[in-house]
Amino acid sequence: MAGFPKSVLSPQIYSLSGSCLAGCYCFWIPIREQHYQDGKYYCILCYLVIMYHGHALALAFAVHEINQDPQILPNVTLGFHICDSYYDATMTYRSTLDLLFKSHQFSPNYKCDKQRNLIAVIGGLGAATSSHIAKLLDFYKIPQVGSDLEIFAQITNRDWRYLLLSISQMQCHELLKYCIPSFHCNLILNIGIVHLLQYFGWIWVGIFAVDNNSGQHFLQSLEPLLHENGICAAYTKRLPYIARLDKMEEHIEICYSIYKQLKNDIHVVIIYGESLTIAALRFILTLGGIENEKLYFKKVWIMTAQLDFMLTGLLRGWDLQIFHGAIAFAIHSEDTPNFSEFLKTINPHWNKGDRFIQVFWEQAFDCFFPESWEQTEVMGQCTGNEKLEDIFKPLFEMSMTGHSYSVYNAVHSVARALHDMCSSQSNYNRGKYTSHTNKRGNTVKMQTLQAWQVMFSEYIFFPQKIGKVDPNAPQGEQFTIDESMLVWHPGFKQVPPFSLCNERCRPGCRKKKKEDQPFCCYDCILCPDGEISNSTDMDDCFRCPEDHYPSNGRNTCIPKNITFLSYKDPLGISLSAIAVSFVLITILVLQIFIKHKDTPIVKANNRNLSYILLISLLLCFLSPFLFLGQPEEVRCLLRQPTFGILFSVAVSCVLAKTMIVSLAFLATKPGSWMNKWAGRRLPYSIAVSSCLIQASICIAWLATSPPFPDVDMHSAHEEIILQCNEGSVTMFYCVLSYMGFLALASFIVAFLVRKLPDRFNEAKFITFSMLAFCSVWISFVPTYLSATGKAMVAVEIFSILTSGASLLGCIFFPKCYIIVLRPGMAVRVRRSSHNYGCAC
C-alpha cells in the first residue's frame, strides 16, 4: 500500500511496516500439508478478519496526517507496507524477510532497492507474531514498535533495551522516550482486574489464559497479585489457540476439559488471550453443547484488553449472547473525528496499493467482484457504493478502537522520534522518558485503561463505558466504576453475584482455614465467650473494651450499665424503709425508757448503759445510709469504721450489763472478794475500754490503707459496679473479728448466768440476743464473699439491720412489754433486784 506523498523540494522517502494488521485468517484442510509454490503459500480457505483491516486503515490515516503536516518531518515522506502473518510462524518469518530484502525478487541479505528505507516495524497484534518478527529484526538493527500492550507482555525491559541498542544510540534514546511506558500496561491491567474483583467482593474466580508465552507471563504476574489481595484462583486453565482446522482433533479433549470447568458454579471467570480467543472460546462452548444451556450458564466474564468480540470465518453466523454483560478492559482511545471522515472516503478502488481492500469488501458486505475467483451463487455482486458505516458492530467500527488507536499512536511515536533525530534543534534529554502528543494534540496515555461492558442483541454489539483504571490518579480514585450502568446476566436478577469458595462468615464468627484448601476456603466458627467479630470474614475475634460487653450474637459491643445500690433502686428503697422503721422503733423505746426512768425495771441493771445501748443502736440503724448511694470518698472512708465502732459500743454495753449481772449475784455471797469489783465505775470502764480498742483498729486502718471509691468492671458481665474498695481486707476482717470477740464474750457470760431466778430473766434475753447476733455475722462472712456489686452492699446492710434488731428485740422489747402492758410486774422486779443486790 503506497504512502501519501508530501509536496517538498527534495523529499527523502522512509518506509514503515505494519505486520498482521490486515489479518487474513486461514483455515488449512486436514491433509496436514502446506504447499509452497513460486514463493507463495496457498491455503484452501482464507477469511480476512474485517476488524483487522480497520487497524490497517488507522495506520494509513496516521501516515496521511504526518505527510500533510509541515511541522513534522519536513522534506521527508513516509510510506508504509503491510504484510500478513496468517497466524503462522513460518509465514511470519517469510513475510518479515520479504519486507527486508524483496524488491523485484527475493534476495536474502541483499539490499537492492535504495528507495525503500525501512526505519521501523509496527506490530503485530499478537505477542507470538511480535516475538517471531523481533528475532529477525534484531539481526538487521531494525526497531520494532508495539501497537498494543500485549506485544511486549513477554519481553522484559532488558530485552527491549537490547533490541533498541542494536540500532544506534540516538535511535535508542528517541524510541525509548516514547515506547517504554507500554511496559507498564500489563501491570495496569492486572491492577484493574484486582480492583474490579475487590469492588464486588469476588474472591473465588476462574482464570483462562491463552496457551503461549504471553499467557504464561500474564499468570505469573496476576496470580501473586491476587494472593496479596486475598483473592484465590479456583482453577487456572490454558486456552488453545484454535485457528487451524487441521489441528482441531488434537484439542478436542482439552476443549471438553475447559467446558467442564466452565459449567461449575464459579460465577466469575477471567479470560486472557489474543484477538481471536473469543472466537476460540465460543467454538469450545458450542462443542460442549452450550446452545441448550444458555439460560443456565450464568457467568461474569472479565476480559482483558487484547480480546476482540468478533467471530470470523466459519463462525460468523454464530451469536455472542453467552458473553452478554461481559466486563472488558480496553486500551485508552481518544475520539478522532477526522478518522471517521477518512473512512467514508474508502471504496474498493481508493488506492491501487491496497491489496486487501477487495477481499475485505467482499467479506464485509457478502458480495463479490466479477474478477474474483471466489464466486458463488449465494453472494451478490459488489457495486462499490456500499458504506462502511453499514457494517454491524463489532465487525467494524467507524471510530478508532483501542487497538486502532494504539496503531495510530505507534506511527506518531516513530514519526516524532525520526523528527527529533533529523532535526538539528533536538533538545531531548537522553534517558528521560516522556509522553508525546499526536496530530490532534492529545497526550498519548499509555498507562490508562478503560472498563467497558459489552451487551449483545442478536448480532448487534453494544459496548458502553462503565469506568477506568488510572494509576496516576490520587489514591482511592485509581479505579472508578459506575455501578448504575451495569447489566448482569438475567439469571442474576440484576444483582451482582457472589463468587466465594464458601459462604462468608457472619459477624459473631471467625474464619478457620480448611486443611489442604486455598486460603479463600474456610470454616466459620463461633467466637469464644467474651469475644466478638463485628464484620464479615474476620480472621480473629477480639475482646470488647472493659466498659463494654459482647452482645448475644457476639457481633457488637454494648456499653455496660453503671450500677450501684442507690436510694431509687427497689432494693435500696426496701432497705431504707426497714432502717427508718427500726430508727423510729428505737426512738420510741428510748422515749418509753426516758418517760419511765424512775420505774424499778428501768433502773434495774444500770439505766445509763441502757440509754447508751439504745443510742448506739439508733446510730447503727442510721449507718446503712452511708452504704446507699453512689460511692464517694467521704462515704467510703466513714462507713466501715462508723459501723465497726457503733456496733462495738452496743456490744460492749451488752457485755458490761452481762458482767454487772454476774458480779451482782456473786457479790451477794458472804466473804466474796467480788464485792470490791461490783462498783458503779466497772460497767463504764468495760464499755469505754472495749470501744477504744475498736477505735484504735479503725484509726490504724485509715492511716495505713484507707477505703476508696473503685470501679469493678469484671464481676458483672453487663455492668460496671461502682463500689468502695476496703483498702485493706485484713483490717476490715480485724474489725469484724474484734466485734465478734465482744459478742462471743457477752454470750459466754450471759450463758453462765442464765440459771438465775426466773423473776430476773435479762440474762436469758442477752443470751438469745448474742446468739442471734453471732449467727447473723457468722453467716455474713461467706455470703459477703460470694456476693458481688449491689448484692454485697445489701448483704452488709441486711446484717447490720438484722443484728441490731436482734439486740433491740431481745433486750428491750420484754421490758417495754412490762412497762406498757404489765406495769404491776415492775414491783416484783424491784423486790427481786433488792433481794439479789442488783445495782440500779
Side-chain angles (χ1 to χ4, degrees), residues 146-163:
S147 62
D148 196 355
L149 78 161
E150 177 186 11
I151 291 177
F152 300 107
Q154 62 189 36
I155 304 177
T156 63
N157 286 4
R158 180 180 177 184
D159 296 330
W160 175 232
R161 291 173 183 269
Y162 175 75
L163 257 177

Side-chain angles (χ1 to χ4, degrees), residues 735-748:
V735 170
L736 291 181
S737 300
Y738 181 72
M739 191 172 64
F741 167 75
L742 293 178
L744 183 61
S746 299
F747 174 74
I748 293 174

Side-chain angles (χ1 to χ4, degrees), residues 368-388:
F368 72 96
F369 291 98
E371 66 273 14
S372 173
W373 63 270
E374 188 181 1
Q375 299 183 23
T376 66
E377 297 180 359
V378 178
M379 295 188 297
Q381 184 171 332
C382 298
T383 65
N385 297 322
E386 294 85 0
K387 303 296 183 182
L388 295 182

Side-chain angles (χ1 to χ4, degrees), residues 12 149 226 290 466 479 630 669 695 746 780 818:
Q12 301 178 27
L149 78 161
L226 294 178
I290 192 61
I466 58 172
F479 175 80
Q630 183 172 346
K669 297 180 180 180
S746 299
F780 162 79
I818 294 173

Side-chain angles (χ1 to χ4, degrees), residues 446-493:
M446 297 294 289
Q447 294 181 322
T448 302
L449 295 178
Q450 296 174 340
W452 294 76
Q453 190 171 41
V454 184
M455 275 74 71
F456 297 92
S457 176
E458 294 183 355
Y459 300 100
I460 303 177
F461 175 72
F462 296 101
Q464 64 177 7
K465 184 179 177 181
I466 58 172
K468 69 175 182 177
V469 182
D470 185 0
N472 298 319
Q475 189 69 26
E477 300 178 9
Q478 296 178 348
F479 175 80
T480 56
I481 190 169
D482 187 354
E483 192 173 353
S484 63
M485 298 181 65
L486 290 172
V487 177
W488 304 104
H489 187 283
F492 296 136
K493 299 180 180 179

